[in-house]
mmCIF file of all heavy atoms in Angstrom:
data_model
loop_
_atom_site.group_PDB
_atom_site.id
_atom_site.type_symbol
_atom_site.label_atom_id
_atom_site.label_comp_id
_atom_site.label_asym_id
_atom_site.label_seq_id
_atom_site.Cartn_x
_atom_site.Cartn_y
_atom_site.Cartn_z
ATOM 1 N N ARG A 936 -29.896 -10.989 -34.888
ATOM 2 C CA ARG A 936 -29.303 -12.335 -34.995
ATOM 3 C C ARG A 936 -27.791 -12.277 -34.853
ATOM 4 O O ARG A 936 -27.181 -13.157 -34.228
ATOM 5 C CB ARG A 936 -29.688 -12.955 -36.337
ATOM 6 C CG ARG A 936 -31.127 -13.471 -36.399
ATOM 7 C CD ARG A 936 -31.510 -13.873 -37.801
ATOM 8 N NE ARG A 936 -32.818 -14.525 -37.841
ATOM 9 C CZ ARG A 936 -33.560 -14.620 -38.936
ATOM 10 N NH1 ARG A 936 -33.121 -14.109 -40.093
ATOM 11 N NH2 ARG A 936 -34.727 -15.234 -38.891
ATOM 12 N N LYS A 937 -27.156 -11.258 -35.418
ATOM 13 C CA LYS A 937 -25.702 -11.123 -35.305
ATOM 14 C C LYS A 937 -25.279 -10.911 -33.856
ATOM 15 O O LYS A 937 -24.220 -11.367 -33.426
ATOM 16 C CB LYS A 937 -25.213 -9.960 -36.173
ATOM 17 C CG LYS A 937 -25.246 -10.253 -37.670
ATOM 18 C CD LYS A 937 -24.731 -9.060 -38.466
ATOM 19 C CE LYS A 937 -24.736 -9.361 -39.967
ATOM 20 N NZ LYS A 937 -24.278 -8.200 -40.758
ATOM 21 N N LYS A 938 -26.121 -10.207 -33.087
ATOM 22 C CA LYS A 938 -25.768 -9.880 -31.710
ATOM 23 C C LYS A 938 -26.173 -10.963 -30.711
ATOM 24 O O LYS A 938 -25.513 -11.136 -29.685
ATOM 25 C CB LYS A 938 -26.420 -8.553 -31.308
ATOM 26 C CG LYS A 938 -25.902 -7.353 -32.104
ATOM 27 C CD LYS A 938 -26.604 -6.063 -31.715
ATOM 28 C CE LYS A 938 -26.069 -4.887 -32.526
ATOM 29 N NZ LYS A 938 -26.722 -3.603 -32.150
ATOM 30 N N LEU A 939 -27.263 -11.688 -31.002
ATOM 31 C CA LEU A 939 -27.802 -12.640 -30.035
ATOM 32 C C LEU A 939 -27.762 -14.092 -30.496
ATOM 33 O O LEU A 939 -28.047 -14.991 -29.709
ATOM 34 C CB LEU A 939 -29.249 -12.266 -29.684
ATOM 35 C CG LEU A 939 -29.445 -10.921 -28.985
ATOM 36 C CD1 LEU A 939 -30.929 -10.651 -28.777
ATOM 37 C CD2 LEU A 939 -28.714 -10.880 -27.645
ATOM 38 N N GLY A 940 -27.416 -14.310 -31.779
ATOM 39 C CA GLY A 940 -27.380 -15.678 -32.294
ATOM 40 C C GLY A 940 -28.310 -15.846 -33.485
ATOM 41 O O GLY A 940 -29.413 -15.305 -33.506
ATOM 42 N N GLN A 941 -27.879 -16.610 -34.464
ATOM 43 C CA GLN A 941 -28.637 -16.766 -35.703
ATOM 44 C C GLN A 941 -29.990 -17.438 -35.487
ATOM 45 O O GLN A 941 -30.918 -17.242 -36.266
ATOM 46 C CB GLN A 941 -27.808 -17.551 -36.722
ATOM 47 C CG GLN A 941 -26.617 -16.793 -37.273
ATOM 48 C CD GLN A 941 -27.018 -15.527 -38.003
ATOM 49 O OE1 GLN A 941 -27.957 -15.530 -38.791
ATOM 50 N NE2 GLN A 941 -26.312 -14.441 -37.751
ATOM 51 N N ASP A 942 -30.089 -18.266 -34.427
ATOM 52 C CA ASP A 942 -31.327 -19.023 -34.233
ATOM 53 C C ASP A 942 -32.298 -18.356 -33.263
ATOM 54 O O ASP A 942 -33.318 -18.945 -32.906
ATOM 55 C CB ASP A 942 -31.014 -20.434 -33.742
ATOM 56 C CG ASP A 942 -30.240 -20.438 -32.434
ATOM 57 O OD1 ASP A 942 -29.757 -19.352 -32.026
ATOM 58 O OD2 ASP A 942 -30.116 -21.502 -31.812
ATOM 59 N N VAL A 943 -32.000 -17.115 -32.823
ATOM 60 C CA VAL A 943 -32.858 -16.479 -31.832
ATOM 61 C C VAL A 943 -34.232 -16.124 -32.411
ATOM 62 O O VAL A 943 -35.252 -16.219 -31.730
ATOM 63 C CB VAL A 943 -32.176 -15.226 -31.228
ATOM 64 C CG1 VAL A 943 -31.970 -14.143 -32.277
ATOM 65 C CG2 VAL A 943 -32.999 -14.684 -30.068
ATOM 66 N N ILE A 944 -34.270 -15.715 -33.670
ATOM 67 C CA ILE A 944 -35.530 -15.379 -34.340
ATOM 68 C C ILE A 944 -35.690 -16.288 -35.548
ATOM 69 O O ILE A 944 -34.788 -16.381 -36.381
ATOM 70 C CB ILE A 944 -35.567 -13.904 -34.782
ATOM 71 C CG1 ILE A 944 -35.456 -12.969 -33.567
ATOM 72 C CG2 ILE A 944 -36.853 -13.597 -35.553
ATOM 73 C CD1 ILE A 944 -35.339 -11.502 -33.931
ATOM 74 N N THR A 945 -36.826 -16.945 -35.642
ATOM 75 C CA THR A 945 -37.099 -17.855 -36.752
ATOM 76 C C THR A 945 -37.967 -17.157 -37.798
ATOM 77 O O THR A 945 -38.965 -16.527 -37.454
ATOM 78 C CB THR A 945 -37.835 -19.120 -36.265
ATOM 79 O OG1 THR A 945 -37.040 -19.768 -35.277
ATOM 80 C CG2 THR A 945 -38.091 -20.079 -37.426
ATOM 81 N N THR A 946 -37.568 -17.246 -39.054
ATOM 82 C CA THR A 946 -38.395 -16.741 -40.146
ATOM 83 C C THR A 946 -39.394 -17.814 -40.560
ATOM 84 O O THR A 946 -39.008 -18.940 -40.859
ATOM 85 C CB THR A 946 -37.527 -16.365 -41.362
ATOM 86 O OG1 THR A 946 -36.603 -15.332 -40.975
ATOM 87 C CG2 THR A 946 -38.395 -15.855 -42.509
ATOM 88 N N ILE A 947 -40.671 -17.474 -40.544
ATOM 89 C CA ILE A 947 -41.729 -18.385 -40.984
ATOM 90 C C ILE A 947 -42.174 -17.908 -42.363
ATOM 91 O O ILE A 947 -42.830 -16.876 -42.479
ATOM 92 C CB ILE A 947 -42.926 -18.389 -40.011
ATOM 93 C CG1 ILE A 947 -42.440 -18.558 -38.554
ATOM 94 C CG2 ILE A 947 -43.914 -19.480 -40.392
ATOM 95 C CD1 ILE A 947 -41.702 -19.834 -38.300
ATOM 96 N N ARG A 948 -41.770 -18.629 -43.389
ATOM 97 C CA ARG A 948 -41.992 -18.170 -44.763
ATOM 98 C C ARG A 948 -43.450 -17.826 -45.032
ATOM 99 O O ARG A 948 -44.347 -18.615 -44.762
ATOM 100 C CB ARG A 948 -41.523 -19.231 -45.753
ATOM 101 C CG ARG A 948 -40.021 -19.450 -45.761
ATOM 102 C CD ARG A 948 -39.562 -20.204 -46.996
ATOM 103 N NE ARG A 948 -38.147 -20.542 -46.920
ATOM 104 C CZ ARG A 948 -37.683 -21.732 -46.593
ATOM 105 N NH1 ARG A 948 -38.511 -22.710 -46.295
ATOM 106 N NH2 ARG A 948 -36.381 -21.957 -46.550
ATOM 107 N N GLY A 949 -43.652 -16.633 -45.586
ATOM 108 C CA GLY A 949 -44.982 -16.189 -45.954
ATOM 109 C C GLY A 949 -45.823 -15.678 -44.801
ATOM 110 O O GLY A 949 -46.925 -15.165 -45.014
ATOM 111 N N LEU A 950 -45.311 -15.812 -43.568
ATOM 112 C CA LEU A 950 -46.108 -15.413 -42.405
ATOM 113 C C LEU A 950 -45.440 -14.335 -41.557
ATOM 114 O O LEU A 950 -46.098 -13.396 -41.116
ATOM 115 C CB LEU A 950 -46.400 -16.642 -41.530
ATOM 116 C CG LEU A 950 -47.257 -17.739 -42.172
ATOM 117 C CD1 LEU A 950 -47.384 -18.920 -41.226
ATOM 118 C CD2 LEU A 950 -48.645 -17.193 -42.533
ATOM 119 N N GLY A 951 -44.144 -14.483 -41.303
ATOM 120 C CA GLY A 951 -43.478 -13.490 -40.474
ATOM 121 C C GLY A 951 -42.351 -14.082 -39.663
ATOM 122 O O GLY A 951 -41.553 -14.874 -40.165
#
Side-chain angles (χ1 to χ4, degrees):
R936 284 171 173 159
K937 287 181 179 178
K938 295 178 180 181
L939 296 177
Q941 290 299 315
D942 59 348
V943 65
I944 299 174
T945 302
T946 299
I947 311 299
R948 293 196 187 101
L950 296 176

